[in-house]
Amino acid sequence: MKKKNKQNNSKINRRKFLKVSGICGLGLGIPTSALGKALQVDDPLRSYPDTKWEDFYRDELVKTEGTSTGFAFHCSNCQGNCAWQVSSNDGVAQREEQLAQYPQISWDIPDANPRGCNKGAIHSQAMYEKDRLLYPLKRSGERGEGKWEKISWDQALTEISERIVDTLQEKGPGGLMIHTGTGILSQGRRAGPLRLGSLLGSIRIYPSSAVGDMFTGATLALGVPNVGHSLDAWFEMDYILLWGINPNVTRIPDAHYLWEGKYNGAKIVTIAPDYNPTSIHADQWVPVQPGSDSYLAMSMVSVVFEEGLYKKDFIREQTDLPFLVRLDNRKLLRENDMKADGSDEKFFFWDLNSDSIKQAPGTRGSGRDTLRLGKIKPALEGEYNVTGKDGETIAVTTVFELARAESSRFTPEAVRDKTGIHPDVVRDITREFSKAEKAGLTVGFSIHKYAWGILTCWAQAMLCALTGHTADTGGLDTESQWSLGGIGPLTSPKPARFESGFLSEWMSGKMWESMRSHYDNDREFKERAGLGVEDVIDLAQKSIDKKWLTHYEEPEARIIFADNLFRRNKSSGHYKREVLGKTKLYVNVNYRMDSSAEFADYVLPAISHYEGWDIRGEVGYHRFVNLTVPPADLKPVGETKSEWEICSLLSDKIQDIAKARGIPKIEDPEFTVTKKTKVGKKEVSKTTPVMRDLDTLVSDFTMKGKVKNDKDVVKWLIENVPAFKPWKFEDAVERGFIVLNKDAGFTSPLYATKPYHSFETQVYLRRPYPTLSGRQQFYIDQEVFLKLGATVPTARRSLHPSKFPLKFYTPHTRWGIHSTWRTSKRMLKMQRGAPHVSICPEDAKKRGIKDGDKIRVLNDIGEFIAMAKVNPNVQAGTLMMDHAWEPHQFEKREGLNSAVAGVLSPLELAGGWGHLKFGAQWDGNQIALESAVEVEKA
Amino acid sequence: MSKRQIAMVMDLNKCIGCQTCTMACKTQWTNRNGRDYMYWNNVETAPGKGYPRGWQESGGGFNDEGELKEGRIPSLTEDYGKPLEINYEEALGIGPDGPSTPWTGVTRPHLKPEDEKFTTPNWDEDEGEGEFPNSFFFYLPRICNHCSNPACLASCPRKAIYKREEDGIVLVDQSRCRGYQHCVAGCPYKKVYFNPMFSRSEKCIFCYPRVEQGKPPACAKQCPGRIRFVGYLDDEASPVYALVKKWKVAVPLRPDFGTQPNVYYVPPLSPPKYDEQGRLTDKPRIPIKLLTGLFGPETPRILETLKIEREKKKRGEPSELMDTLIAYRHDEMFTITDEEEQGF
């Protein structure tokens, strides 16, 4: 029986709530008796005869405190995760203020309060802005024309579900994509779409990879991309390098630990192309050329090798630098080189104590789960001879020798023309970093948005490893994340089509077309990349064919939650046309009409941060798990629904429609399930394809009625995530947050009274790292790495084509979390109200451009129009724009990604090797910062 | 003189320009009732035009003889900037009750401010001055200074502005103000604002309704940079006392205006400049003249003190000043009441 969707009788329409949120009428609360009354005032500096009127502002304060309060955090992709208290008046959110109740974990370390930022502070205003989606929409014109029909939820869900079942019937489960973007990153609110997609076997792309946030260089070295420490650890460090990261803008709630650390004696050095807001408080800013970071990193490594600043004992035990490498084919020496049926996961070093070859413990195939060397002292230097399986002599050397030789090509003097940095500066900071007891190297998300970010970060990892900085002595810090186990049964009950983020966007948007165009000087490209453009394009297809990275056939139906795909994808005009051209059904679930919702067939209005229950705890910057507990009297905004409810209602409709069409189940042979049963005394294994059970979809989705709504999701998570124990739901609801327990760390315990550092179990307990070698890995002989001559960390030139004079880069804005809040008038008022680009005075003068002028930024891929901001902090030959402006904020509705070409980092296409296997720990990046442009007055 | 004086110290070595304080004040007081264009708390990039534009050259305050100097009333369109209205409905096609397509027949407009010409309070954000790679800037958050010799109070012909006895907070009596705006012209910091909806002048009230409950002002409490200390100047246990009276590292802005402000700043250090060859020098980027012009002649001593005390910490020696500025506990930055703070 179809359920009738209840209309919410108490819905607030926009006119009503605009009025109420303005607290209009309060201004007239002046006691009329006071008006016009003559008052004798003698000396107002000393005293004042009648202060009764002061109730005027007191009454206003009471109103902002509201009749009801709740807790909230803003779950979007800032990774900050801050606890707020929200007040509402008569059902309308009034104001928010940081909860600021986190306990101090140690007297020696500043507490985490208040957290929060300028964006969170105005969500109560933005949630009622005129771009808010209040009712379901169906397009009545062409996609993107802006012609809509308001429809009921019932009609919307029915029509969408009919078409979903069409797709499932005609194309199978792989024809449907259900994707939740980084607009929602909380465990609570992501659960609905993930669960529905999992039950149906839908395609889901890896969001981190799609947006270019994968620290692939860290994965090469350490096996996982997310490494480092909680940010209170900054306070205890002696030396901090902030490389390609701008914490004063992008780590607002935690930046204070840096400046407190500075007062505590730390030296802080920033490395960035422009004198950015973080550099103003640093002890030194290093003005690196954009895209030349791999050269700078390698030059620092070369100084470490040259001046002997490395820690021998540390690298013997904790890195693969002593591993033996064949001189003939540049491959790691493996057991199967020396034994006929040997393993390819057993590796060797030369033991100086016994002057003989010894197998390294702790590697993937070694069978010994420890890095302890016992009596072995692995050689770092030298060339040796070993006997091959056919009796032949194999000449070998060590990874250390090869890494050192490679680094010697990149001395500070040799790379100065690429980096722009004086050799003395490089030597000084390298020596300081090396000798500091606790030295941290925090890498920002900007680095991997360059094609050679993977090499930069690998070299940065080597710098830290050579100088012995890992675990509590600092080391590489990309973005620590907690281990929140137990969520699988909720979000992934059945296998889903999880595929590469960056590669899928590349394929969907046919981004090779803009790559061919922008990098059409193939000789120049090949000189820098080591491969031609066509080679890279072919390599991408090879990666899919060989299943190095996973990519399924294009879906024909896309249900998109919280993702502004037509804003963020490069060569945005081309991408949009390609994707829309091949998509039969496009549904956008959103809380505001952003540049992607505008192009949908159906738009479904979702809740925003204060309106539904939620919980988030994976963010590694701090140990607190925040809850959203809506104020009791908060009324739904328009007809919006939570993601869980939307997915639940879709399940409902899909089940009914499938039943009406006589399709109870769909076989999905892409995935299999193996059941073991006993037949007599024998155990029999039966492997069958996974079934997509449309006939029990509702019951499956709600866990047989146990999880019916967003509140139940939060309850389930608190009960089932081990790192949340021993907290109970009731405690969490009362406090607004809970504290993670010691099991929350991946590679170290989370101590109750100390900051968190990764890899303590590796450094102190000598357990292997999650890499092929079991160690910090600096030799990778995967075929792409071999072909590019990048088996050890090295440097490559940035790809910006010389045919356009300005390197275009787009650091994260202060005024939005990507496009969330970007178009809030509260935020726009704090900048220039409209998109603007920073250009240095010299480049502006050359082109007759003055501050405030309308300019055109262009290249062969596209163009956009913006305002010029003449900025002395920006280098000549560069153009800087803070990111995430909505395309529909630009004239002609062409956003900044119109002029950004698609391009791939070839090393990120590799796979099928050791720990470089596609999954959450290994996937590449959508490159954003390798395009060159020109600019002219418009 | 008021019996007690509440004061605020802002450490400019920690201000990150995030404007959370600006938004806190905006939602606490000025998102309504004719106050929309006002930013009782603002954060400007220094050196820069400031908010309102050119406030440092707008007169007001006192001369050396203690006489009020002439000042100008800033322009709403040119200096403050009108409240920004964005054409959401026109550009996005959705109205409160249903879709609307007001652009029929012409190209759909993009999302933009409704006014062609406009200015905003943070126009020159992150710009500053100087030449690459030695350019410089820092952030200067400003509220009403709740002066001990307020020019606004002296300007008002109706004596409708007064200083509270219990805490020295300066207020414009909303029941007696007639909107003459002498105070707007008279304040050299341009921190009094005319409210066009009610024809009265309003300004930062130091969140006295919160202070009376023992809570710090919104701007201070909500600052994630933890740069603001709030306390009474006579409270020897307060970090405000330590920074202003004991260590004397927190000083008023533009003391030459003669109004005796009660908001104090710890002036900012800056990273060193590079020479022509790209080698590091030992000269800080921000010219000392700029800093003494803003914060007075004690500035070089203060910067030197910060350096010396920080060196102590580097050597593993204790430093009371550094510990005070580090501010290990957020709640201890605000010493407003004698009562125990609630919490854990």
Side-chain angles (χ1 to χ4, degrees), chain A residues 825-836:
Chain A
K825 62 172 186 256
R826 294 286 168 211
M827 297 288 99
L828 290 173
K829 183 78 197 277
M830 299 312 295
Q831 288 193 284
R832 293 188 175 196
H836 52 265

PDB file of all heavy atoms in Angstrom, chain A residues 825-836:
ATOM      1  N   LYS A 825      25.499  35.680   1.361  1.00  0.00           N
ATOM      2  CA  LYS A 825      25.835  37.100   1.262  1.00  0.00           C
ATOM      3  C   LYS A 825      26.679  37.552   2.446  1.00  0.00           C
ATOM      4  O   LYS A 825      27.442  38.520   2.340  1.00  0.00           O
ATOM      5  CB  LYS A 825      24.599  37.970   1.096  1.00  0.00           C
ATOM      6  CG  LYS A 825      23.612  37.943   2.225  1.00  0.00           C
ATOM      7  CD  LYS A 825      22.557  39.009   1.978  1.00  0.00           C
ATOM      8  CE  LYS A 825      21.611  39.121   3.148  1.00  0.00           C
ATOM      9  NZ  LYS A 825      20.307  38.488   2.859  1.00  0.00           N
ATOM     10  N   ARG A 826      26.583  36.835   3.558  1.00  0.00           N
ATOM     11  CA  ARG A 826      27.421  37.181   4.715  1.00  0.00           C
ATOM     12  C   ARG A 826      28.883  36.963   4.393  1.00  0.00           C
ATOM     13  O   ARG A 826      29.750  37.720   4.819  1.00  0.00           O
ATOM     14  CB  ARG A 826      27.051  36.316   5.925  1.00  0.00           C
ATOM     15  CG  ARG A 826      25.668  36.548   6.470  1.00  0.00           C
ATOM     16  CD  ARG A 826      25.589  37.830   7.223  1.00  0.00           C
ATOM     17  NE  ARG A 826      24.216  38.210   7.527  1.00  0.00           N
ATOM     18  CZ  ARG A 826      23.788  39.462   7.624  1.00  0.00           C
ATOM     19  NH1 ARG A 826      24.621  40.459   7.433  1.00  0.00           N
ATOM     20  NH2 ARG A 826      22.538  39.718   7.916  1.00  0.00           N
ATOM     21  N   MET A 827      29.152  35.897   3.619  1.00  0.00           N
ATOM     22  CA  MET A 827      30.531  35.594   3.250  1.00  0.00           C
ATOM     23  C   MET A 827      30.994  36.519   2.126  1.00  0.00           C
ATOM     24  O   MET A 827      32.091  37.056   2.155  1.00  0.00           O
ATOM     25  CB  MET A 827      30.649  34.127   2.812  1.00  0.00           C
ATOM     26  CG  MET A 827      30.333  33.120   3.898  1.00  0.00           C
ATOM     27  SD  MET A 827      31.600  32.996   5.184  1.00  0.00           S
ATOM     28  CE  MET A 827      30.899  34.012   6.461  1.00  0.00           C
ATOM     29  N   LEU A 828      30.132  36.690   1.128  1.00  0.00           N
ATOM     30  CA  LEU A 828      30.518  37.513  -0.022  1.00  0.00           C
ATOM     31  C   LEU A 828      30.830  38.943   0.416  1.00  0.00           C
ATOM     32  O   LEU A 828      31.707  39.598  -0.132  1.00  0.00           O
ATOM     33  CB  LEU A 828      29.414  37.501  -1.080  1.00  0.00           C
ATOM     34  CG  LEU A 828      29.233  36.169  -1.800  1.00  0.00           C
ATOM     35  CD1 LEU A 828      27.998  36.215  -2.700  1.00  0.00           C
ATOM     36  CD2 LEU A 828      30.466  35.822  -2.617  1.00  0.00           C
ATOM     37  N   LYS A 829      30.092  39.405   1.414  1.00  0.00           N
ATOM     38  CA  LYS A 829      30.300  40.773   1.891  1.00  0.00           C
ATOM     39  C   LYS A 829      31.686  40.937   2.502  1.00  0.00           C
ATOM     40  O   LYS A 829      32.219  42.033   2.577  1.00  0.00           O
ATOM     41  CB  LYS A 829      29.229  41.107   2.941  1.00  0.00           C
ATOM     42  CG  LYS A 829      29.279  42.542   3.470  1.00  0.00           C
ATOM     43  CD  LYS A 829      28.676  43.534   2.493  1.00  0.00           C
ATOM     44  CE  LYS A 829      29.087  44.967   2.797  1.00  0.00           C
ATOM     45  NZ  LYS A 829      28.257  45.591   3.830  1.00  0.00           N
ATOM     46  N   MET A 830      32.284  39.852   2.935  1.00  0.00           N
ATOM     47  CA  MET A 830      33.594  39.958   3.572  1.00  0.00           C
ATOM     48  C   MET A 830      34.735  39.838   2.577  1.00  0.00           C
ATOM     49  O   MET A 830      35.888  39.880   2.955  1.00  0.00           O
ATOM     50  CB  MET A 830      33.743  38.892   4.661  1.00  0.00           C
ATOM     51  CG  MET A 830      32.734  38.987   5.785  1.00  0.00           C
ATOM     52  SD  MET A 830      32.533  40.637   6.465  1.00  0.00           S
ATOM     53  CE  MET A 830      34.137  40.905   7.172  1.00  0.00           C
ATOM     54  N   GLN A 831      34.406  39.670   1.299  1.00  0.00           N
ATOM     55  CA  GLN A 831      35.442  39.730   0.266  1.00  0.00           C
ATOM     56  C   GLN A 831      35.078  40.890  -0.661  1.00  0.00           C
ATOM     57  O   GLN A 831      34.993  42.019  -0.221  1.00  0.00           O
ATOM     58  CB  GLN A 831      35.488  38.423  -0.526  1.00  0.00           C
ATOM     59  CG  GLN A 831      36.066  37.262   0.227  1.00  0.00           C
ATOM     60  CD  GLN A 831      36.370  36.126  -0.714  1.00  0.00           C
ATOM     61  OE1 GLN A 831      35.473  35.404  -1.164  1.00  0.00           O
ATOM     62  NE2 GLN A 831      37.635  35.932  -1.032  1.00  0.00           N
ATOM     63  N   ARG A 832      34.862  40.598  -1.931  1.00  0.00           N
ATOM     64  CA  ARG A 832      34.494  41.657  -2.856  1.00  0.00           C
ATOM     65  C   ARG A 832      33.155  41.387  -3.523  1.00  0.00           C
ATOM     66  O   ARG A 832      32.857  41.958  -4.553  1.00  0.00           O
ATOM     67  CB  ARG A 832      35.585  41.834  -3.916  1.00  0.00           C
ATOM     68  CG  ARG A 832      36.900  42.367  -3.338  1.00  0.00           C
ATOM     69  CD  ARG A 832      37.865  42.711  -4.435  1.00  0.00           C
ATOM     70  NE  ARG A 832      39.089  43.323  -3.909  1.00  0.00           N
ATOM     71  CZ  ARG A 832      39.955  43.998  -4.651  1.00  0.00           C
ATOM     72  NH1 ARG A 832      39.731  44.146  -5.948  1.00  0.00           N
ATOM     73  NH2 ARG A 832      41.038  44.511  -4.108  1.00  0.00           N
ATOM     74  N   GLY A 833      32.383  40.437  -2.947  1.00  0.00           N
ATOM     75  CA  GLY A 833      31.044  40.205  -3.462  1.00  0.00           C
ATOM     76  C   GLY A 833      30.977  39.399  -4.746  1.00  0.00           C
ATOM     77  O   GLY A 833      29.919  38.912  -5.130  1.00  0.00           O
ATOM     78  N   ALA A 834      32.081  39.285  -5.433  1.00  0.00           N
ATOM     79  CA  ALA A 834      32.073  38.629  -6.746  1.00  0.00           C
ATOM     80  C   ALA A 834      33.464  38.030  -6.978  1.00  0.00           C
ATOM     81  O   ALA A 834      34.427  38.431  -6.321  1.00  0.00           O
ATOM     82  CB  ALA A 834      31.747  39.639  -7.835  1.00  0.00           C
ATOM     83  N   PRO A 835      33.570  37.069  -7.910  1.00  0.00           N
ATOM     84  CA  PRO A 835      34.868  36.410  -8.127  1.00  0.00           C
ATOM     85  C   PRO A 835      35.977  37.400  -8.484  1.00  0.00           C
ATOM     86  O   PRO A 835      35.761  38.312  -9.285  1.00  0.00           O
ATOM     87  CB  PRO A 835      34.584  35.473  -9.313  1.00  0.00           C
ATOM     88  CG  PRO A 835      33.124  35.220  -9.251  1.00  0.00           C
ATOM     89  CD  PRO A 835      32.515  36.466  -8.747  1.00  0.00           C
ATOM     90  N   HIS A 836      37.148  37.204  -7.890  1.00  0.00           N
ATOM     91  CA  HIS A 836      38.286  38.058  -8.195  1.00  0.00           C
ATOM     92  C   HIS A 836      39.550  37.232  -8.216  1.00  0.00           C
ATOM     93  O   HIS A 836      39.622  36.165  -7.628  1.00  0.00           O
ATOM     94  CB  HIS A 836      38.396  39.202  -7.185  1.00  0.00           C
ATOM     95  CG  HIS A 836      38.387  38.750  -5.761  1.00  0.00           C
ATOM     96  ND1 HIS A 836      37.249  38.716  -4.997  1.00  0.00           N
ATOM     97  CD2 HIS A 836      39.382  38.318  -4.962  1.00  0.00           C
ATOM     98  CE1 HIS A 836      37.540  38.270  -3.786  1.00  0.00           C
ATOM     99  NE2 HIS A 836      38.834  38.011  -3.740  1.00  0.00           N
TER     100      HIS A 836
END
